[in-house]
Amino acid sequence: MSNSNVPSKFDVVVVGAGPAGSSAAYLLAKAGFKVLIVERGRGAGTKELYGGKIYAPPLREVWPNLDKEAPIHRWVTTERLSFVWKGRVTTLDFKLGRRVAFTTYLTEMAKWMADKAVEAGAVLVDEVRVDEIITEGGKVIGIRSGPDKLYADIVVDAEGVNRILLEKLGLAEKINPDTVALGVKEVINVGKKAIEERLLLTENEGMAWLLMGDITQGIPGGGFIYTMKDTIALGLVLHIGKAYEAAKSGALKDTVPMMLEKLRVHPYFSRIWRDADVLEYGAHMTIEGGLRYMPKKLYMNGLVVVGDAAGLLLNTGYTIRGVDFAVYSGKLAAEAIIKAFENGGPTEENLSLYEHMLKQSFVYKELVKHSGIVKMMEDPTFFTKLPAIVNGMMGKLFEADYEEPTVLEALLESFREEEMSLTRFLLKMFSVVSRL
Amino acid sequence: MSGEVKGLRPIKIEDLLQRTVYDVDEEPHIEIIDERGVPKELVKLCPCSCYSMVGERLLYSYEGCLECGLCRVLSEPWGLRWEYPKSGRGVQYRFT
């Protein structure tokens, strides 16, 4: 921050040029605020990793020209959900009636969002790691990076899932391993033509494909496959608390990267990318249950918290929403900050509007509404038994040599094989869901 | 569903990490301070296999770190010094 072109006092300092930070910075700069975005990476996007799919409608509220201008790879026209168990695969394949989500690299998308903020007048300083949010008399007054200090009327904390700054500030507690998941991802260079031929897509059409079953070796979580323009993103998401228990008890056979590699060479799935190279490998932490990860308060005198740092991510097992929630929280933060300045400044009382707006928004309501299924996805009964039972039943129906069972017989028999009764399974599901 | 696709074998983590671009800092951004506060399970769980057991000792090498934060979550605060790399160093994601 010794760059002499950068003034030492800003209205707003945004920590992190991710989707949440850049959307807040963009809207605030557009409203005439002097905004500085501080990013630890070399340019915006270089530290970003996610699954592969973004829901467009919340983003269009910030960037109305999103569809024309953003680096969209493919619009998702097919959603698949597969249950994988002992070499058997049962897949639900849904062709969407309209376009709501697209695939892209978040590295690219985050750069686009940051560029938009800079176009609107924000200043982006990269390669600067923020070490501390500075306070004075209970009020946030700026940030520190190494020996350098920078002051602002308000700091927007968009530091991401590893909320080191919030922990130092005392606004968030040490992360509970049961509230986070580890995502690992490979980008495979399949090529545009092969992607479209092998997955029955036309140009610009994309697929989002979630996998559930023994690919995670008993750890709650799942796999994902997203089609980009020329590449395929393949990954695993693993519940960290449960992964740790599995490793500790010796139940976990492979290392995490080997688990992903075994999915890549899986006899069925691998035929999609059979002849393609792995271009890149990466990992990132994600949030397992948003509400449990959320800090007690999302604001204080001179500070608001947005995006992953605020716990705004929903993982139901069949949909994962993080980027659109992050962008929307950035938008609400910007609106609350603008209001706060109209009402005399970013005081604690004025900024409480942000949390209020967030709790009224679809983001928070979605997190509340789906917290039952988030819990259910962590329950081993549900998580490991469902793929086993589904594939067991399909096997009985379609792998019969002479006499086929009825559907009910096949269902009951596969429950019996998994030492589960249908009633107990339904009761269990009901009890998990009705807890909320 | 028998038989693998011909020629497809799991890639070892050392080779997998070759696909990813890094600008490695001269100084480590993460260090084990007290092994007793860092779980050995990280040998299996760390996505870049930065942790390894040499005899009875748990060792960490920062060069392949993907900056995910898993070891910070699973360790005691006094077990690790955990920071992000400075000056834009570390992993440089391109297509993720």
Side-chain angles (χ1 to χ4, degrees), chain A residues 40 42 46-48 87 105 107 129 162 167 174 185 252 255-256 261 264 270 278-281 283, chain B residues 1 5 9-11 19-20 23 44 47 67-68 72-73 75 84 87-89 91 93-96:
Chain A
R40 71 181 179 92
R42 190 155 293 160
T46 59
K47 302 293 184 181
E48 301 281 352
Y105 299 146
T107 46
R129 183 187 76 197
N162 284 308
E167 285 178 26
K174 186 181 187 306
K185 171 171 166 177
L252 188 61
T255 64
V256 165
E261 270 299 298
R264 189 179 63 85
S270 64
V278 177
L279 274 183
E280 194 169 26
Y281 170 70
Chain B
M1 204 140 31
V5 176
R9 293 279 176 277
I11 304 172
R19 322 292 167 105
T20 303
D23 177 5
K44 278 226 167 123
E67 300 162 33
C68 71
R72 194 178 82 94
V73 170
S75 299
Y84 280 128
S87 312
R89 297 287 177 84
V91 69
Y93 286 129
R94 297 163 298 157
F95 313 113
T96 52

Side-chain angles (χ1 to χ4, degrees), chain B residues 56-93:
Chain B
E56 290 292 291
R57 300 216 59 189
L58 180 68
L59 298 183
Y60 172 78
S61 65
Y62 72 100
E63 289 86 352
C65 178
L66 295 165
E67 300 162 33
C68 71
L70 174 79
C71 56
R72 194 178 82 94
V73 170
L74 292 179
S75 299
E76 299 296 335
W78 42 265
L80 282 180
R81 176 182 69 81
W82 200 104
E83 281 171 331
Y84 280 128
K86 53 184 181 338
S87 312
R89 297 287 177 84
V91 69
Q92 311 287 330
Y93 286 129

Side-chain angles (χ1 to χ4, degrees), chain A residues 69-110:
Chain A
E69 295 177 15
I72 291 165
H73 281 216
R74 293 172 183 274
W75 286 95
V76 175
T77 52
T78 305
E79 290 275 356
R80 281 186 184 170
L81 176 62
S82 286
F83 299 103
V84 187
W85 199 258
K86 292 181 179 161
R88 291 189 173 88
V89 181
T90 305
T91 302
L92 284 164
D93 180 303
F94 175 64
K95 299 279 180 283
L96 279 81
R98 53 191 209 97
R99 297 177 165 195
V100 286
F102 61 88
T103 65
T104 187
Y105 299 146
L106 193 54
T107 46
E108 234 179 293
M109 191 67 194

